[in-house]
Amino acid sequence: MALFSRGKRAADQATTPDSNGSEATETDAAATPTTESPLTGGADGGEASVATPTEDLPTVGISMSSFQGVGAAPAETPAAPSTPAPRPAQATPRTLAPAEAPEAKETVPGLRDNALLRQALAALSDTPAPHDVANVARQLLQGSVFLRVHGDARTLLAEGQDLPLAIATQGDAQFVLVFSGGEPLQASVRADGQTDTSAMGQPVLAVIRHVLDGPFAGMILDHASVPGRVLLPRQLLQRAVDEADPELTVKSILAAPRTEATASEIVAALPTAKLWIAAGKPEGSDAFGIAESRTPEGDRYLEVFSHPLEIVALGRSDSPLPVTAAQLGGALKSDEGISGLLVDPAGPWIRLQRDDLLPVIALAG
């Protein structure tokens, strides 16, 4: 049975999302979505699991200390300023990553690939550095991902059964197999030959929380793709969720196609979003400063981040510090030499000009 058969599809077989944004498609028929426990099942590692030999598991030498705790303060901690300090930790012209996300394809009809995650995984080397893994983890935090379901998901859902998710085992540890798109999932099926498989698309935070709520040691992304695969341990996933904005509003807006309203949507999201700035010591100085970027023309932009992983992924020595929109407004109000904000410079990013940020400046009183 071929995976994602493109045979005749009846009108009632079309893949549709449920109220939680979940989607499913199968080898012979599209699954009927459910709003009841869409991620339950697969935890017992029985018939649903895809056993993967230890030597085949991606091993990445990472730890929380490698990421400076994903938001943990450095040994010498600058106190979060009432308004960000004007002295830049980095104030040199930058060559930025692409501002916009690549176009997301539907390699499986009805299921949209996570294009940013696929791009980050494709950039991995055989021995990724910690900031490369952080780059994957930050790009995971938007959109949806694919899960493998062993068996006919439509039948299982109709019968009210749990969906047995594909997992990999390493000793006593279990890892949920997660995929950035249809092609990596098809590669997984070719690798193990278990063609009785369904694909389900789920919002990424729902998947991460399912991993954290279960007995799993983490997740493996695109496990059959070499070298574009990586293991994200439970500790990293926990910290990533703890530090994330619950709605992932800023990241979601930046990952979406740009419109004339994008800048105003970001500005409107800033007062309620979790935000971070990058603190570090400029070369030749013992004092901490706040990172900014300068254009070749000399315009200054204060760097603002939607998650600490966005800072770690830059591979710099800066440490993340939480900041509020009112504090950012105070910095802009007190220093008219700041041209605006550069949000998530590792990309997708956006520059917000002072005129865009008048509502934020007004928060400073």
Side-chain angles (χ1 to χ4, degrees):
M1 184 185 303
L3 182 65
F4 309 132
S5 170
R6 297 182 65 86
K8 183 178 179 180
R9 293 170 58 90
D12 61 354
Q13 292 177 326
T15 303
T16 55
D18 68 12
S19 59
N20 291 325
S22 63
E23 301 173 344
T25 187
E26 300 181 39
T27 54
D28 288 334
T32 303
T34 180
T35 58
E36 297 181 1
S37 303
L39 289 177
T40 57
D44 60 5
E47 187 180 31
S49 67
V50 177
T52 303
T54 299
E55 61 270 22
D56 289 340
L57 278 174
T59 56
V60 181
I62 59 176
S63 66
M64 295 312 296
S65 60
S66 299
F67 295 103
Q68 298 179 355
V70 189
E76 187 179 351
T77 309
S82 56
T83 31
R87 179 176 52 254
Q90 177 179 351
T92 55
R94 294 176 53 90
T95 301
L96 297 173
E100 299 187 38
E103 181 182 0
K105 300 179 180 179
E106 288 188 5
T107 53
V108 178
L111 299 182
R112 190 175 296 275
D113 290 358
N114 190 323
L116 287 167
L117 179 59
R118 290 201 66 187
Q119 188 178 69
L121 287 164
L124 289 175
S125 65
D126 290 327
T127 55
H131 67 269
D132 295 323
V133 181
N135 185 52
V136 172
R138 78 181 181 91
Q139 298 293 39
L140 174 66
L141 292 177
Q142 51 81 31
S144 297
V145 289
F146 289 13
L147 300 169
R148 276 188 70 178
V149 177
H150 184 73
D152 186 324
R154 184 179 187 181
T155 300
L156 292 170
L157 291 169
E159 295 174 352
Q161 298 185 40
D162 291 344
L163 296 179
L165 302 181
I167 63 173
T169 58
Q170 183 179 27
D172 295 331
Q174 297 179 337
F175 300 86
V176 176
L177 300 183
V178 178
F179 303 89
S180 61
E183 291 179 1
L185 197 150
Q186 290 173 331
S188 174
V189 173
R190 290 193 296 268
D192 59 43
Q194 296 189 27
T195 56
D196 185 16
T197 290
S198 305
M200 172 170 281
Q202 286 284 312
V204 65
L205 283 184
V207 175
I208 295 176
R209 290 184 178 121
H210 174 67
V211 172
L212 296 175
D213 289 343
F216 307 108
M219 67 171 61
I220 301 175
L221 300 174
D222 292 359
H223 78 109
S225 302
V226 180
R229 60 182 183 178
V230 73
L231 184 155
L232 299 181
R234 183 184 185 91
Q235 296 90 337
L236 174 58
L237 295 174
Q238 184 68 65
R239 292 302 301 267
V241 170
D242 289 346
E243 305 286 10
D245 184 271
E247 303 300 325
L248 298 177
T249 306
V250 171
K251 288 186 67 65
S252 297
I253 295 173
L254 290 177
R258 297 298 166 89
T259 70
E260 293 183 356
T262 298
S264 60
E265 290 171 352
I266 293 289
V267 171
L270 293 181
T272 56
K274 285 188 176 181
L275 302 171
W276 308 80
I277 51 179
K281 292 181 179 180
E283 186 176 352
S285 173
D286 291 330
F288 278 91
I290 304 304
E292 7 174 288
S293 290
R294 288 184 182 170
T295 67
E297 295 75 27
D299 295 328
R300 295 168 52 206
Y301 290 85
L302 188 64
E303 294 183 353
V304 180
F305 303 85
S306 61
H307 195 283
L309 284 169
E310 296 288 333
I311 299 172
V312 178
L314 292 173
R316 305 190 316 219
S317 59
D318 297 335
S319 298
L321 287 177
V323 69
T324 66
Q327 289 174 322
L328 294 174
L332 293 165
K333 185 176 182 178
S334 63
D335 187 348
E336 295 186 359
I338 300 177
S339 302
L341 304 180
L342 174 61
V343 184
D344 283 354
W349 54 267
I350 190 170
R351 284 195 183 103
L352 301 174
Q353 309 298 330
R354 291 187 72 93
D355 288 346
D356 299 323
L357 292 162
L358 292 178
V360 174
I361 296 174
L363 295 175

